[in-house]
Amino acid sequence: MVAAHHYQIWPRDPGAHLFVVQVTVSNPDPDGQVFAMPAWIPGSYMIRDYAKHVVAVRAEADGREVAIEKLDKSRWRAAPTDRELKFTLEIFAHDESVRGAHLDVTHAFFNGTCVFPQVTGQEHKTCRLEIHPPEAPLGKHWRVATSMRRDGAEQYGFGRYIAHDYAELIDHPVEIGLLSIGEFEAAGVPHAIAIRGNTRVDMARLCHDLQTICEHHLGFLGVPADLDRYLFLLNAPGSGYGGLEHRWSSSLICGRDNLPARGDEGVSDEYRTFLGLVSHEYFHLWNVKRMKPAVFTPYDLAQETYTGLLWVFEGVTSYYDDLALLRSGLITIESYLELLGKTITRVMRAGGRHRQSVEESSFDAWTKFYKQDANAPNAIVSYYAKGALIALCLDLKLRAETEGGKSLDDVMQAAWREWGETGVGMPEGGFEELAAEISGVDLADFFDATVRGTGELPLESLLKSHGIAYHLRQSSGGQDNGGKPSTDDNLPTVWLGANLGTRNGATVFLSVNNDGPAERAGVSPGDELVALDGLRINMAGCEARTRRYHPGDKSEVTVFRGDELMSMKLKWLEAPADTCYLEVQSEVAGDIELRRKSWLGQ
Ligand SMILES: [Zn+2]
């Protein structure tokens, strides 16, 4: 029996945002124990170098200081000792995202990747964690929410917790503060949601809706053998949005007013977005947390890990997140088609889909999708949005070609049996092979075109074969994200070919579309728009004014580039039909109607 590592964390100085963390190692490496902080957190594919927030380190054995050598940006080595070694860090925590750690006088939140050093070479050992309260009087009513197994701590209390190994230790984010907690069961498994923030939410309704989503997914892919609990951690500030998946929990952020209050009925657009986020992160407990790319088994948290498969893990998850809301009865068909229309619009508006495939986008996530610059709309495609549409096309193609015999549901269930239940990583290309094998359909050309190609997806014909009409129209302006027919009887016929935004009160070109009117005129990202045809203009005014021009008309655009005033000649071009909406076709043949019902679970 090897002794466990003993980790402790103190919210030492909330005013200065400092955690103190200590790990005690019973049998340190005789050559000098190495400690390492992760460079990234699973689920967010960017190098974040969490060691950069470490402000002090110290090591001791038998009460005597042990020398430490810094090996590189993320690692330290303590001098050799045959005694029990204590390694202590002070860590600055002021990142309120789901990927970070945050401490102030109102709460504490941390991901293990941000605060717990890895005991290199002994990662397989059990990790005990002791969570200490802040110094009184702070934290008198604070509670602790985490999916980590208790090892002496009371429920929602400070004290001792335990994880099987280091990988598990860092997969349980912890929220500590004034929490509202709701509990429910799904398929017999205890679930909870812990909310930070003064939300005045209708907790009974929230738990009911979450239970509906969880039971739907549990019914689809089955209860994983080790899923004996699940926790949603929700931070609900004034505004914000984000989520990160874990095996037994997820961290979510949404605006507090997006949650339903008591007496609210119906599903607002904002609450629908939140339910989609819940559905998305929960689906990940199968798709990417237990079934994952082979290169992630195990994770190498010291450096980038490349895979062309993120479109499967994020795209397929993004397809099922909203579809589950419809299939479980939380939203209507019209509402679902609106969401789908918006996703199609998002993809249609990014010219980068003609430059980059989703396989390339997955591979280069580290430097492109997660590090977007002003050229991103021209250069990259989202493996989330286009990945979701590839999943849709695959689902509909299988349903059509097997006459309803097989669907993406069958492929996902088979994938779960093959790589999820076994824990064997999915090889690159494995998903495509399995889809062909399960369905008996030759999918080689389909995957070459959609996953490795950059052409348009066969959405219109596939949707039509399922009784859904596909329409494209021109955009009515910056607030128009698609999904609905236009109510505007005077849609602009021309466009600038640029994304405008407001910075410090100024109207700025955030990005400029390749080969659009603005780029041809000489406008650069970052230019401040000052006037159009000699008249001062702002963002709203520009949209209104655009309606007065027609294709071929010429204008003078005046911008500040830095402090230089510049005027450019712009020729207006016809606005592209890049805005999608979908409709249920009312009169369709019986077999098409059956197919539609089977797909949408009606
Ligand atoms: Zn995701």
Side-chain angles (χ1 to χ4, degrees):
M1 175 71 188
V2 284
H5 299 315
H6 183 53
Y7 286 85
Q8 299 185 75
I9 185 165
W10 292 264
R12 177 56 55 82
D13 189 344
H17 319 292
L18 287 177
F19 282 112
V20 168
V21 172
Q22 185 178 77
V23 54
T24 304
V25 182
S26 312
N27 304 105
D29 184 338
D31 296 330
Q33 181 60 54
V34 174
F35 297 93
M37 290 298 290
W40 59 281
I41 183 168
S44 183
Y45 306 105
M46 188 169 109
I47 296 298
R48 296 180 193 274
D49 289 328
Y50 290 113
K52 73 182 178 188
H53 301 299
V54 174
V55 295
V57 294
R58 146 178 119 246
E60 60 185 292
D62 268 352
R64 289 230 287 276
E65 186 157 341
V66 172
I68 296 173
E69 180 190 359
K70 185 97 191 258
L71 298 177
D72 56 34
K73 63 179 182 177
S74 298
R75 296 186 305 151
W76 300 261
R77 182 167 53 211
T81 174
D82 54 4
R83 302 302 167 91
E84 186 179 84
L85 177 68
K86 289 182 192 297
F87 184 60
T88 308
L89 308 89
E90 263 179 59
I91 297 169
F92 177 72
H94 199 254
D95 172 2
E96 217 168 340
S97 78
V98 292
R99 305 167 295 265
H102 191 254
L103 171 64
D104 67 11
V105 294
T106 68
H107 86 135
F109 171 78
F110 57 84
N111 282 287
T113 46
C114 306
V115 292
F116 298 135
Q118 178 190 60
V119 182
T120 303
Q122 303 190 28
E123 300 85 349
H124 59 285
K125 282 193 186 173
T126 302
C127 297
R128 293 182 189 279
L129 170 65
E130 191 162 0
I131 303 175
H132 296 274
E135 227 165 84
L138 206 64
K140 192 171 169 213
H141 300 289
W142 286 13
R143 292 196 282 178
V144 176
T146 178
S147 54
M148 205 179 308
R149 193 173 297 288
R150 287 184 286 129
D151 186 37
E154 304 219 326
Q155 196 173 23
Y156 305 119
F158 291 96
R160 288 177 177 245
Y161 291 79
I162 189 166
H164 185 255
D165 56 17
Y166 181 77
E168 194 203 312
L169 176 73
I170 59 170
D171 196 32
H172 296 285
V174 179
E175 172 70 50
I176 305 169
L178 297 173
L179 306 175
S180 316
I181 294 172
E183 294 176 331
F184 58 94
E185 275 197 3
V189 177
H191 284 59
I193 178 166
I195 309 175
R196 174 200 173 213
N198 178 13
T199 60
R200 300 190 64 78
V201 64
D202 180 344
M203 188 64 96
R205 175 174 177 195
L206 186 64
C207 285
H208 170 268
D209 291 350
L210 264 51
Q211 180 187 39
T212 302
I213 293 167
C214 296
E215 288 194 329
H216 176 81
H217 288 314
L218 290 162
F220 175 29
L221 290 174
V223 184
D226 60 350
L227 190 81
D228 55 354
R229 63 204 187 275
Y230 193 88
L231 173 68
F232 294 99
L233 293 177
L234 172 60
N235 183 10
S239 64
Y241 179 77
L244 190 64
E245 66 276 8
H246 301 279
R247 279 173 85 101
W248 291 274
S249 64
S250 48
S251 296
L252 313 169
I253 294 181
C254 82
R256 69 172 71 89
D257 294 333
N258 298 352
L259 301 170
R262 267 168 295 194
D264 282 359
E265 283 173 27
V267 177
S268 68
D269 286 2
E270 294 78 15
Y271 185 47
R272 182 180 63 180
T273 301
F274 171 74
L275 292 176
L277 177 67
V278 165
S279 180
H280 182 96
E281 304 308 344
Y282 196 76
F283 193 78
H284 271 319
L285 80 80
W286 291 270
N287 198 32
V288 94
K289 290 313 295 188
R290 287 176 175 79
M291 172 167 83
K292 55 181 95 167
V295 294
F296 288 176
T297 53
Y299 293 114
D300 176 358
L301 297 180
Q303 59 198 330
E304 294 90 343
T305 305
Y306 297 98
T307 171
L309 285 173
L310 293 183
W311 73 269
V312 173
F313 292 94
E314 291 300 349
V316 172
T317 301
S318 298
Y319 173 55
Y320 278 107
D321 59 18
D322 290 338
L323 186 57
L325 302 185
L326 170 63
R327 286 181 173 175
S328 64
L330 286 170
I331 62 172
T332 61
I333 288 194
E334 290 69 27
S335 182
Y336 175 66
L337 293 180
E338 183 190 336
L339 292 171
L340 202 49
K342 285 183 171 178
T343 304
I344 296 170
T345 301
R346 207 151 57 233
V347 173
M348 293 296 292
R349 287 185 185 171
R353 73 186 187 284
H354 296 308
R355 285 267 177 84
Q356 190 191 46
S357 70
V358 290
E359 191 169 86
E360 291 167 328
S361 181
S362 299
F363 194 88
D364 283 327
W366 304 86
T367 51
K368 293 195 172 180
F369 188 76
Y370 271 93
K371 293 187 177 176
Q372 296 190 21
D373 58 19
N375 196 44
N378 296 315
I380 70 171
V381 69
S382 165
Y383 52 79
Y384 284 80
K386 188 177 171 189
L389 299 184
I390 293 172
L392 166 69
C393 289
L394 177 60
D395 196 8
L396 300 185
K397 181 178 172 68
L398 295 183
R399 288 169 187 277
E401 295 199 13
T402 63
E403 288 172 6
K406 295 289 176 192
S407 70
L408 183 60
D409 298 354
D410 298 291
V411 176
M412 288 309 290
Q413 286 163 350
W416 171 249
R417 285 192 296 274
E418 175 126 3
W419 298 298
E421 287 178 351
T422 61
V424 175
M426 181 191 290
E428 304 289 307
F431 182 82
E432 296 177 29
E433 272 174 37
L434 184 76
E437 188 190 314
I438 291 298
S439 63
V441 176
D442 181 355
L443 296 167
D445 291 345
F446 171 82
F447 283 124
D448 278 344
T450 59
V451 174
R452 280 167 289 284
T454 55
E456 303 294 7
L457 297 173
L459 285 161
E460 183 168 6
S461 58
L462 286 168
L463 285 164
K464 194 173 169 198
S465 71
H466 286 73
I468 303 295
Y470 173 95
H471 307 281
L472 289 175
R473 61 171 174 80
Q474 289 167 328
S475 167
S476 70
Q479 300 298 314
D480 181 2
N481 297 318
K484 290 177 181 170
S486 175
T487 51
D488 191 338
D489 45 19
N490 180 28
L491 280 176
T493 57
V494 297
W495 75 326
L496 266 180
N499 263 321
L500 293 174
T502 306
R503 270 187 207 155
N504 301 326
T507 301
V508 173
F509 287 90
L510 301 179
S511 63
V512 179
N513 296 57
N514 281 161
D515 218 26
E519 188 189 79
R520 287 190 193 179
V523 172
S524 289
D527 285 356
E528 178 188 338
L529 177 62
V530 179
L532 182 61
D533 286 327
L535 299 173
R536 186 168 61 192
I537 201 157
N538 60 16
M539 207 162 116
C542 186
E543 277 188 9
R545 201 87 60 78
T546 298
R547 293 164 193 264
R548 296 181 170 266
Y549 294 92
H550 295 279
D553 287 353
K554 297 197 170 92
S555 283
E556 185 183 45
V557 177
T558 310
V559 304
F560 267 118
R561 181 168 303 166
D563 62 355
E564 288 178 52
L565 190 66
M566 301 171 72
S567 280
M568 301 168 192
K569 300 251 173 291
L570 178 136
K571 185 176 166 192
W572 293 95
L573 295 177
E574 188 176 352
D578 60 4
T579 306
C580 175
Y581 65 97
L582 307 173
E583 285 176 321
V584 175
Q585 285 178 317
S586 49
E587 281 170 34
V588 291
D591 58 328
I592 291 183
E593 193 174 347
L594 279 178
R595 220 182 265 163
R596 183 171 66 204
K597 283 185 173 163
S598 158
W599 164 42
L600 297 175
Q602 298 299 296

